[in-house]
Amino acid sequence: MNDYDIAIIGLGPAGATLARLLDSRLRVIALDKKRDNGDEGFQKPCGGLLATDAQRGFIRFNLNLPTDVLANPQIFSVKTYDLNTRLIRNYQRTYVNINRHPFDLWLKTLIPPAVDVRHDTLCRRIGRLDDGRYRVTFSQNGREEVITARYLIGADGANSMIRRNLYPDHHIRQYLAVQQWFPDRHPVPFYSCIFDAALTDCYAWSISKDGYFIIGGAFPLKSATANFEQMKAKLGGFGFRFGEAVKSEKCIVLCPSRFCDFRCGQDNVFLIGEAAGFISASSLEGISYAFDSSEILSRLLNHADDGSNLNRRYWAATRRLRLKLYGKILKAAVLTSPLLRKWIMRSKISHIAVE
């Protein structure tokens, strides 16, 4: 009774989408750190914006967003700040403002009942058996359980245990995402993208959401907290208003910098979403790539009886996705270059003046 065809570790957008798309004839178990309802348990720090590519995923899936995952207001521009040059520009964007944790929980409700979903679990160990199957040990409600599966799916995000086991000597550039929530005291809600080469070679962000003002950024691991506080102090001179933080959040975020940073798996282990390195280096957006990679893998797993090498086919099928993400690496190199960013912002290309 503890033997499965597929074991999915992690039920963020990638894992939940894969679990929803798999054929009902497959015996599937899915392990997730989040609880099945409420605000307690694991929550990923996230600005909570759905990019255009993620919206296209909903069209392909024939899904509509429920209103209880949407956040107010819907903002149609990003205000870009370069703290070094003090340049400020406004660019049109078509993001959808959402509340990330309810969004993740909603995606889990779409998983068919045939999938054995285990909430509030922690994967402890994985190992390969002599017959090629995988043994997974996890804890739930203070008790350890063991299952076996033919295929193992790593959908466990930036700090993926599955990825570390597969590629112990390979490391992707990492940042610590630090984010705080404040009561919003700004007269007009806004979304911003913030650059400061003195504090991070990545970027920071802010977003108004349901009466709160979220400020966050991706910083070098060793100095993340100090650099975050320095950034807030600088932003006070640009009209940002902070009071007493009502919530603070942190998590590791990946930022691929080489084509070899995208790893898809091997030996009947597959990586999807951020666990595979599928995240934009220029915006740290990963939901659209979680949708794309899980959709690609679901088609292969649903027709896995033809004897072909699924890992090789998955690698080939994600080629276009990996090339697209490599383009984001090149874009990030431009955006995070102080000289090039200064030239772009001074040119006022695509800038929309606010009266």
Side-chain angles (χ1 to χ4, degrees):
M1 292 298 294
N2 63 349
D3 186 47
Y4 296 84
D5 296 305
I6 299 170
I8 303 172
I9 313 302
L11 284 178
T17 299
L18 178 64
R20 177 173 59 82
L21 296 176
L22 288 173
D23 195 295
S24 60
R25 66 183 173 81
L26 296 169
R27 192 152 190 262
V28 181
I29 186 171
L31 310 178
D32 191 40
K33 289 193 295 185
K34 296 184 294 297
R35 298 180 182 177
D36 57 345
N37 54 51
D39 292 331
E40 297 182 1
F42 172 78
Q43 297 188 36
K44 182 175 182 177
C46 176
L49 295 171
L50 284 181
T52 302
D53 284 345
Q55 297 169 39
R56 291 194 186 100
F58 283 99
I59 297 173
R60 294 196 308 273
F61 300 148
N62 195 27
L63 290 175
N64 296 307
L65 278 174
T67 57
D68 57 358
V69 307
L70 296 176
N72 288 318
Q74 297 301 319
I75 302 171
F76 304 106
S77 68
V78 54
K79 184 176 290 188
T80 301
Y81 292 83
D82 189 322
L83 302 192
N84 304 123
T85 62
R86 302 191 65 84
L87 290 171
I88 304 172
R89 297 290 183 262
N90 293 290
Y91 302 104
Q92 182 181 359
R93 290 294 182 270
T94 55
Y95 295 119
V96 175
N97 197 359
I98 62 168
N99 288 303
R100 176 60 191 268
H101 187 58
F103 175 75
D104 282 358
L105 294 180
W106 170 70
L107 287 177
K108 288 174 65 172
T109 68
L110 303 178
I111 299 173
V115 177
D116 184 1
V117 177
R118 306 293 186 92
H119 308 282
D120 197 18
T121 63
L122 183 62
C123 184
R124 298 288 187 182
R125 294 179 298 278
I126 61 171
R128 198 174 191 193
L129 304 176
D130 292 338
D131 63 358
R133 302 183 71 84
Y134 285 90
R135 175 188 176 99
V136 180
T137 303
F138 64 94
S139 60
Q140 184 179 30
N141 299 323
R143 184 182 66 181
E144 280 200 349
E145 296 189 43
V146 178
I147 61 97
T148 59
R150 179 182 179 188
Y151 300 111
L152 182 62
I153 315 299
D156 45 346
N159 202 27
S160 170
M161 173 187 179
I162 308 302
R163 183 189 179 101
R164 294 198 309 272
N165 275 271
L166 275 184
Y167 308 107
D169 298 323
H170 182 263
H171 303 283
I172 302 180
R173 181 175 56 180
Q174 293 183 337
Y175 294 93
L176 185 66
V178 184
Q179 185 169 273
Q180 288 185 328
W181 294 58
F182 301 88
D184 197 350
R185 303 191 301 172
H186 299 91
V188 179
F190 67 101
Y191 161 55
S192 75
C193 180
I194 304 157
F195 294 97
D196 187 339
L199 299 178
T200 181
D201 58 352
C202 196
Y203 84 105
W205 59 86
S206 74
I207 180 72
S208 297
K209 195 182 297 286
D210 288 339
Y212 292 97
F213 185 69
I214 304 173
I215 182 74
F219 301 95
L221 297 178
K222 292 183 179 180
S223 58
T225 301
N227 288 12
F228 176 67
E229 292 299 328
Q230 288 185 52
M231 184 192 69
K232 285 198 303 178
K234 288 185 177 183
L235 289 174
F238 288 83
F240 283 63
R241 300 180 180 182
F242 306 107
E244 188 73 23
V246 298
K247 181 165 58 173
S248 298
E249 302 167 316
K250 295 180 181 180
C251 75
I252 296 293
V253 63
L254 298 183
C255 189
S257 57
R258 305 162 296 172
F259 193 73
C260 67
D261 283 341
F262 308 123
R263 298 292 177 101
C264 293
Q266 58 191 21
D267 299 327
N268 286 339
V269 180
F270 302 86
L271 300 174
I272 56 177
E274 195 174 359
F278 294 159
I279 183 171
S280 169
S282 63
S283 66
L284 303 184
E285 192 273 323
I287 293 177
S288 64
Y289 307 108
F291 287 168
D292 291 344
S293 57
S294 58
E295 185 179 7
I296 291 169
L297 183 58
S298 71
R299 290 197 295 264
L300 297 175
L301 291 172
N302 287 339
H303 301 88
D305 296 331
D306 58 6
S308 59
N309 188 313
L310 286 184
N311 285 106
R312 187 181 298 118
R313 293 175 61 194
Y314 180 55
W315 174 256
T318 56
R319 181 176 181 272
R320 181 177 296 181
L321 181 62
R322 288 180 281 115
L323 287 173
K324 180 179 179 180
L325 283 163
Y326 186 70
K328 300 296 184 181
I329 292 174
L330 300 179
K331 180 180 178 181
V334 173
L335 293 178
T336 56
S337 165
L339 182 61
L340 294 176
R341 184 173 63 247
K342 178 181 177 180
W343 179 85
I344 293 171
M345 295 182 71
R346 280 189 170 173
S347 72
K348 297 188 177 181
I349 297 173
S350 300
H351 167 64
I352 301 174
V354 176
E355 297 181 1

